């Protein structure tokens, strides 16, 4: 017995639907992996870029911390101390940086030095914590749930520390970078022109 020629026409819509669905699943699977990978790389780059920015700020703030003046004659810098200071200018303790004299804040070098931060133990503790949170060597680049969660937690804590440090220093972040608070004697011309 021969099959009915109209039977193929009646199932034509279902056949095309199934073929289209199968092609869509194959194409979507391939494209989804590509788009997912691109999105992952982009968002990860932005997170690490933000963490690098915060780390750079912690290094700058650490070098602006006041260095206690030695009572006796400064110690000679040997090659080992210089190498340590250049590799890690601010590790958990700034003794190498302070004892070596490599970061000179003398008045003769004022054109290239940053203004020192007033002595404040609380502020120094926050800067040290920010540095520890953002230190690149301690950040994991593993793509596991625990590593990503740890990184996101450290990023949020570091952003909180930056806000605290900015408040203690009287700085605030603007889109172009940090800006100092204006004193009450300065006039705000932008509000008077509106």
């Amino acid at each position: 017995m021969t099959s009915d020629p109209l039977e193929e026409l009646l199932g034509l819509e279902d056949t095309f639907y199934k073929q289209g669905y199968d092609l869509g699943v194959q194409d979507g699977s391939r494209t989804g992996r590509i788009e997912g990978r691109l999105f992952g790389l982009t968002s990860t780059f932005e997170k690490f870029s933000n963490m690098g920015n915060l780390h750079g700020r912690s290094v700058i703030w650490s070098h602006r911390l006041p260095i206690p003046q030695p009572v006796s004659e400064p110690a000679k810098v040997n090659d080992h101390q210089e190498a340590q200071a250049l590799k890690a200018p601010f590790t958990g303790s700034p003794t190498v940086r302070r004892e070596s004299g490599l970061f000179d804040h003398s008045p003769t070098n004022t054109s290239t030095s940053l203004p020192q931060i007033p002595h404040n133990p609380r502020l120094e503790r926050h800067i040290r914590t920010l540095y520890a949170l953002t230190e690149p060597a301690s950040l994991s680049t593993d793509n596991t749930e625990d590593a990503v969660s740890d990184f996101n937690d450290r990023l949020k804590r570091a952003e909180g520390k930056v806000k605290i440090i900015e408040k203690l220093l009287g700085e605030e972040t603007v889109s172009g970078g940090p800006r100092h608070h204006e004193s009450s004697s300065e006039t705000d011309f932008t509000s008077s022109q509106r």
Side-chain angles (χ1 to χ4, degrees):
M1 214 157 118
T2 62
S3 65
D4 187 15
L6 294 178
E7 189 175 316
E8 286 183 26
L9 289 175
L10 293 175
L12 190 61
E13 183 180 341
D14 290 336
T15 305
F16 285 148
Y17 177 82
K18 177 143 178 53
Q19 286 176 350
Y21 178 81
D22 291 341
L23 288 173
V25 167
Q26 287 176 342
D27 189 46
S29 175
R30 189 182 75 244
T31 305
R33 280 191 218 112
I34 293 169
E35 288 178 2
R37 189 172 304 264
L38 287 174
F39 176 76
L41 289 172
T42 303
S43 63
T44 302
F45 176 80
E46 289 173 1
K47 285 182 181 182
F48 270 88
S49 175
N50 192 16
M51 187 68 88
N53 182 358
L54 297 177
H55 180 69
R57 294 179 76 183
S58 73
V59 169
I60 296 296
W61 281 328
S62 71
H63 288 294
R64 289 179 58 197
L65 290 173
I67 299 174
Q69 298 300 323
V71 177
S72 63
E73 186 175 314
K76 300 272 185 188
V77 178
N78 62 29
D79 291 336
H80 177 69
Q81 286 177 324
E82 184 175 354
Q84 281 183 335
L86 292 176
K87 282 182 188 174
F90 186 74
T91 55
S93 146
T95 54
V96 173
R97 175 173 64 102
R98 291 183 178 173
E99 290 174 1
S100 67
L102 291 174
F103 302 103
D104 186 18
H105 293 286
S106 62
T108 60
N109 197 10
T110 57
S111 63
T112 59
S113 68
L114 295 170
Q116 283 196 350
I117 296 172
H119 177 69
N120 183 343
R122 182 173 168 225
L123 178 62
E124 289 179 20
R125 189 172 54 251
H126 286 300
I127 292 172
R128 289 181 203 287
T129 304
L130 175 64
Y131 183 87
L133 287 170
T134 60
E135 187 174 20
S138 66
L139 296 174
S140 174
T141 56
D142 294 338
N143 193 16
T144 62
E145 279 189 45
D146 292 338
V148 172
S149 176
D150 180 54
F151 182 87
N152 289 338
D153 180 53
R154 288 175 70 172
L155 181 61
K156 286 180 184 177
R157 289 177 53 204
E159 288 170 343
K161 286 292 177 191
V162 166
K163 288 179 183 177
I164 293 170
I165 293 168
E166 286 175 343
K167 294 289 183 187
L168 289 172
L169 290 175
E171 297 176 350
E172 61 184 68
T173 303
V174 192
S175 61
R179 182 182 77 180
H180 294 285
H181 286 290
E182 297 175 0
S183 65
S184 59
S185 63
E186 296 178 348
T187 308
D188 184 14
F189 292 108
T190 57
S191 62
S192 63
Q193 293 176 355
R194 292 182 189 166

